[in-house]
Amino acid sequence: GVEFDPELHTSWAFHGGLSENLESIVSCRMAGFQPLAAGSRGSLVWGSGTYFAREARYVSEGGFCGKPNPDGTRQMLLCLLMTGLPCLGDPQHKGVLPFRNKPHRYHSSVDSLSSPEIFITQHAGAALPAYLITFS
């Protein structure tokens, strides 16, 4: 079988936002995702960081894609996440996750350890935008 390596966990997940913000994430690698500035809309249910969803429907129907563009389209990103070993998210997580085994901290947080639907990353380099999806 495949040997478990906790340092190499990855997941594909969706991220919504205003079209100009998504374009900035894609076109400017230096700016990219900014977990410290994330959550400005009060979405800190599982702690601070950049939020991603396993299902595109959660992003589109949950209002996370912002207002439609003048042509009626909206956008979201499909990203490759380096989740590492996640912990259960908590509103008290403020950018630094708890220790899993000192001096090692968890790498990301999730809404459920058994079947995560929401992923929260605290590091800008933990998410790589792969596809910009435009839909109506």
Side-chain angles (χ1 to χ4, degrees):
V2 176
E3 190 171 321
F4 177 74
D5 185 353
E7 300 299 322
L8 297 177
H9 278 6
T10 60
S11 297
W12 286 97
F14 297 90
H15 179 78
L18 297 172
S19 290
E20 58 266 19
N21 295 350
L22 298 181
E23 293 286 346
S24 173
I25 290 169
V26 171
S27 64
C28 182
R29 287 275 175 145
M30 294 304 290
F33 290 102
Q34 297 181 9
L36 295 176
S40 57
R41 296 186 335 173
S43 58
L44 299 176
V45 175
W46 294 289
S48 64
T50 304
Y51 281 59
F52 299 87
R54 181 177 67 193
E55 303 292 332
R57 185 173 67 179
Y58 183 90
V59 175
S60 65
E61 294 176 6
F64 299 106
C65 291
K67 294 180 181 179
N69 295 318
D71 65 358
T73 61
R74 294 186 294 155
Q75 293 183 313
M76 72 173 75
L77 294 171
L78 177 57
C79 303
L80 180 60
L81 307 180
M82 276 51 79
T83 55
L85 191 60
C87 65
L88 188 60
D90 186 298
Q92 300 303 311
H93 293 166
K94 304 286 188 213
V96 177
L97 296 175
F99 289 106
R100 60 182 165 92
N101 187 7
K102 273 194 171 182
H104 306 289
R105 292 186 180 273
Y106 287 100
H107 303 110
S108 63
S109 51
V110 292
D111 65 326
S112 166
L113 292 174
S114 61
S115 181
E117 293 185 25
I118 304 297
F119 301 88
I120 305 97
T121 61
Q122 286 73 22
H123 304 286
L128 301 172
Y131 299 96
L132 178 61
I133 301 167
T134 302
F135 64 100
S136 53

